[in-house]
Every structure is written in structure tokens, then in C-alpha cells.
């Protein structure tokens, strides 16, 4: 996970996951490494998730009352311990009013060991007011497979390097999608990360750009559509290990069953 969780052992077999068939693609924890500073106006759908009074994860607004994040960001947490902040480029903008939750829907098949089905849906107590700094991100259709080489955008307030310092200002970077087959091959000997068909993977062969600790739950988008949530990986921006993300398209039916969207 790219939040404060790293998996301890690997069980990666070719039969563990299977890719769906290729299809047309619509256009367009906890870290950003190798990216650039940006502002919330460019990413009005990203929200900050706090546990108690500490920034913990990113999250993604999908409607005035529904927000997505990684399952491990809310695992074993109650609605009384988790709040959101929206419309802010910086994590130290404490004047932003905390947004409370009515309910947390962590995926019923979420596995805390393998981090499979790593998605949590948050129902807000009050509807958000949309504007230039707060807006929803579009969801993809079900069972879309992004072609290898597709350039995706990630954003968050995560660490600028593995075990490094976190910025206060929102960061962004672009990374290319790689196939799940290639991702699984790279992780076969890592002893830390699993790859399932609920994942998608992204990163450069030379490393250097990635999400990192603190970016978990934040968005991976392609042409304005939310295809991934920052989930897990080994290290940050390591050329051997791409970042892994919850594949939003693969859990689309669960999102619809909870939110109606």
C-alpha cells in the first residue's frame, strides 16, 4: 500500500489473476515522486483524508455525497475517526472545515494481507457544494483494459521520495500504464506486493516517477476519467517495481451497488 503499509510476503502465480479482453478506452498511503507542484483548481476532485487530526490518504470525489479511497485507508476505522477536507491545495490549510462521514463501505472482499479489492466508498453527512475548487471526477465503464503505454496522471500529497519528507503542496506526475502480465513478472520475487485483476500498474522502466507514502486512495486518471486509486507497491519510483493501483473499472459493479452511480 502506499500509505503506511507494506506487504510482508508474496504469493504471485500466473493463475492468481487474469486480464479481461482489450477494449476501447475513453479519452481523457501516499506519494508523488518526480512530479511537479500543482493546485487544487487542476484537480478539484481530490480530497484529503484525515485519521484523527493527521493527514493520512488521498481520496476522490465522485458526487456531492460520495467519495472513493483505498480500502486500506479506512480499514478498521470508524466514521468518528475519519474526516475529509476539500478545495485545498495544501495540507496545512487548517481553516478548511472537516467534512464528517455518515458511513464507510469497505469492499466486503478486501484482504488486509494481500490488499486485494482495495477500495472504500465514503458517504458524506452533508452534500458538497461544487465550484472551481471542488468537483466530481467521471467514472469509467466496467471492464475496460487500458493499453500499455497509455499516459496516466496521478496526484497527491505523498512523500517526495521513499521514506522521505511529504510536501504541504499538492503534487502531480504522469506515468505510463504497463500490462498486468509485465507487472506480475516484475513483482514475482519482491516478497511484498501481489498483482490481481483488480489492479492496474503504471511506471517508467527507468523509475524516477511514481506515487509514494501518503498518496494512497488518490486518483490515477486518463483524459478526465478515474481509472485507478493509488494502492500498493514496493518502495517508490524504483525501476524494478511499478506502482500498483486499484482498477476502478474492475470494481465498477460494487461502486454502482453502493452509490447508484
Amino acid at each position: 500500500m502506499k500509505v503506511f503499509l507494506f506487504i510482508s510476503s508474496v504469493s504471485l502465480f500466473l493463475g492468481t489473476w487474469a486480464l479481461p479482453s482489450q477494449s476501447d478506452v475513453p479519452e481523457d498511503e501516499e506519494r508523488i515522486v518526480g512530479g511537479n507542484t500543482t493546485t487544487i483548481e487542476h484537480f478539484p476532485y481530490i480530497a484529503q483524508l484525515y485519521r484523527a487530526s493527521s493527514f493520512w490518504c488521498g481520496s476522490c470525489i465522485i458526487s456531492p455525497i460520495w467519495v472513493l479511497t483505498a480500502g486500506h485507508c479506512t480499514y478498521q476505522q470508524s466514521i468518528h475517526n475519519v474526516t475529509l477536507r476539500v478545495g485545498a491545495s495544501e495540507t496545512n490549510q487548517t481553516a478548511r472545515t472537516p467534512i464528517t462521514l455518515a458511513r464507510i463501505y469497505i469492499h466486503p472482499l478486501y484482504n488486509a494481507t494481500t490488499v486485494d479489492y482495495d477500495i472504500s466508498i465514503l458517504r458524506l453527512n452533508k452534500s458538497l457544494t461544487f465550484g472551481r475548487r471542488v468537483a466530481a471526477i467521471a467514472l469509467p465503464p466496467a471492464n475496460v483494459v487500458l493499453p500499455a503505454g497509455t499516459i496516466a496522471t496521478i496526484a497527491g500529497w505523498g512523500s517526495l521520495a521513499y521514506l522521505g519528507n511529504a510536501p504541504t503542496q499538492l503534487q502531480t506526475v504522469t506515468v505510463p500504464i504497463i500490462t498486468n502480465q509485465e507487472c506480475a513478472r516484475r513483482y514475482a520475487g519482491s516478497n511484498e506486493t501481489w498483482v490481481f485483476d483488480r489492479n492496474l500498474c503504471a511506471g517508467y522502466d527507468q523509475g524516477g516517477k511514481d506515487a509514494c507514502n501518503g498518496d494512497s486512495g488518490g486518483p490515477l486518471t486518463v483524459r478526465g476519467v478515474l481509472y485507478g486509486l493509488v494502492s500498493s507497491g514496493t518502495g517508490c519510483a524504483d525501476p524494478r517495481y511499478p506502482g500498483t493501483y486499484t482498477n476502478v473499472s474492475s470494481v465498477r459493479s460494487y461502486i454502482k451497488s453502493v452509490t447508484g452511480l
Side-chain angles (χ1 to χ4, degrees):
M1 292 167 297
K2 288 203 169 171
V3 176
F4 299 97
L5 172 75
F6 293 92
I7 310 306
S8 59
S9 62
V10 74
S11 174
L12 188 58
F13 301 96
L14 292 179
T16 302
W17 51 266
L19 282 173
S21 59
Q22 188 97 358
S23 60
D24 292 336
V25 181
E27 293 194 326
D28 197 353
E29 80 155 22
E30 317 158 345
R31 54 178 178 152
I32 296 294
V33 178
N36 300 294
T37 298
T38 187
T39 63
I40 198 68
E41 286 82 1
H42 292 100
F43 298 91
Y45 48 82
I46 190 170
Q48 302 169 19
L49 186 150
Y50 284 72
R51 284 167 55 168
S53 59
S54 298
F55 172 76
W56 195 254
C57 284
S59 54
C60 304
I61 302 165
I62 60 169
S63 88
I65 60 169
W66 295 106
V67 174
L68 304 183
T69 191
H72 68 265
C73 291
T74 63
Y75 181 60
Q76 295 183 330
Q77 298 298 307
S78 76
I79 59 172
H80 307 294
N81 194 48
V82 177
T83 58
L84 301 179
R85 288 169 176 78
V86 301
S89 299
E90 300 176 349
T91 57
N92 61 1
Q93 291 181 348
T94 54
R96 298 285 169 181
T97 303
I99 297 163
T100 58
L101 305 183
R103 188 162 176 184
I104 297 172
Y105 297 84
I106 193 166
H107 198 290
L109 297 179
Y110 172 71
N111 187 308
T113 300
T114 64
V115 203
D116 195 10
Y117 292 94
D118 191 21
I119 184 171
S120 187
I121 303 174
L122 312 179
R123 172 67 155 87
L124 309 183
N125 266 321
K126 295 183 179 180
S127 295
L128 300 174
T129 300
F130 282 178
R132 193 166 58 95
R133 299 166 65 90
V134 182
I137 181 73
L139 294 170
N143 302 319
V144 171
V145 177
L146 292 171
T150 300
I151 298 300
T153 300
I154 52 180
W157 293 269
S159 300
L160 300 176
Y162 180 53
L163 301 180
N165 295 326
T168 58
Q169 184 78 22
L170 183 62
Q171 304 287 305
T172 184
V173 73
T174 58
V175 288
I177 299 296
I178 69 171
T179 67
N180 276 29
Q181 292 99 325
E182 174 62 15
C183 191
R185 185 189 69 78
R186 296 193 193 184
Y187 274 113
S190 75
N191 298 321
E192 290 185 353
T193 303
W194 287 258
V195 178
F196 300 97
D197 57 1
R198 271 74 57 187
N199 295 120
L200 58 81
C201 299
Y204 288 95
D205 289 342
Q206 67 272 27
K209 297 183 178 184
D210 197 1
C212 200
N213 305 86
D215 287 323
S216 284
L220 177 146
T221 63
V222 176
R223 300 176 185 176
V225 177
L226 182 67
Y227 281 97
L229 302 172
V230 179
S231 179
S232 63
T234 298
C236 302
D238 188 319
R240 298 171 296 174
Y241 303 122
T244 68
Y245 301 79
T246 301
N247 184 338
V248 174
S249 183
S250 73
V251 291
R252 193 66 182 81
S253 61
Y254 176 66
I255 296 171
K256 186 171 184 179
S257 71
V258 173
T259 68
L261 299 174

